[in-house]
Amino acid sequence: QVQLVESGGGLVQAGGSLRVSCVKSGRTGTIYTMAWFRQAPGKERDFVAAINANGKNTYYAESVKGRFTISRDNAKNTVYLQMNSLKPEDTAAYYCAAGSSRLAPNQDEYRYWGQGTQVTVSS
């Protein structure tokens, strides 16, 4: 079994930066494609970014391209999402996901999920 725990969320002003982290435990010998999704109140969960197992390939939603950067440190079993130039519309609960075999934007392709960390951007 795989457990994912997110951290680093918080309140930030528009234009500011924040980095959220996700630590994977359990079957640490298996390296998966990992991703970040987000869900705003009353809205569906949306894809944000994904990174492949070796960290050399990434994929972003158009809404965050150029502002957000996904990265990973496999030695620490951790994936990061660096968020710059934050906007109020980035306010959401951010979820870490793992288990897809490819850089997929579809949440159904990910087997494991964290509990989420809240990011709030004030205007």
Side-chain angles (χ1 to χ4, degrees):
Q1 190 64 299
V2 170
Q3 293 82 42
L4 303 173
V5 178
E6 302 96 334
S7 63
L11 175 64
V12 62
Q13 288 189 331
S17 298
L18 202 63
R19 187 179 79 162
V20 292
S21 303
C22 171
V23 177
K24 178 171 71 71
S25 61
R27 296 175 60 182
T28 56
T30 304
I31 300 176
Y32 301 100
T33 290
M34 297 186 70
W36 288 95
F37 288 76
R38 65 185 181 185
Q39 187 170 21
K43 296 189 177 181
E44 301 208 347
R45 189 175 297 184
D46 291 330
F47 170 76
V48 176
I51 188 166
N52 73 334
N54 63 15
K56 292 184 177 181
N57 294 299
T58 57
Y59 178 53
Y60 294 92
E62 286 296 323
S63 59
V64 306
K65 198 174 292 185
R67 300 189 298 123
F68 290 11
T69 302
I70 189 171
S71 62
R72 67 190 298 163
D73 184 339
N74 288 336
K76 297 181 178 179
N77 294 306
T78 301
V79 65
Y80 305 96
L81 185 68
Q82 176 67 44
M83 301 181 287
N84 299 328
S85 302
L86 282 160
K87 306 175 182 179
E89 51 263 43
D90 294 319
T91 295
Y94 282 72
Y95 296 90
C96 177
S100 175
S101 60
R102 65 191 185 104
L103 290 173
N106 304 312
Q107 57 182 314
D108 292 343
E109 298 202 30
Y110 294 87
R111 285 181 284 170
Y112 307 108
W113 291 84
Q115 294 300 305
T117 185
Q118 180 66 36
V119 172
T120 302
V121 184
S122 63
S123 57

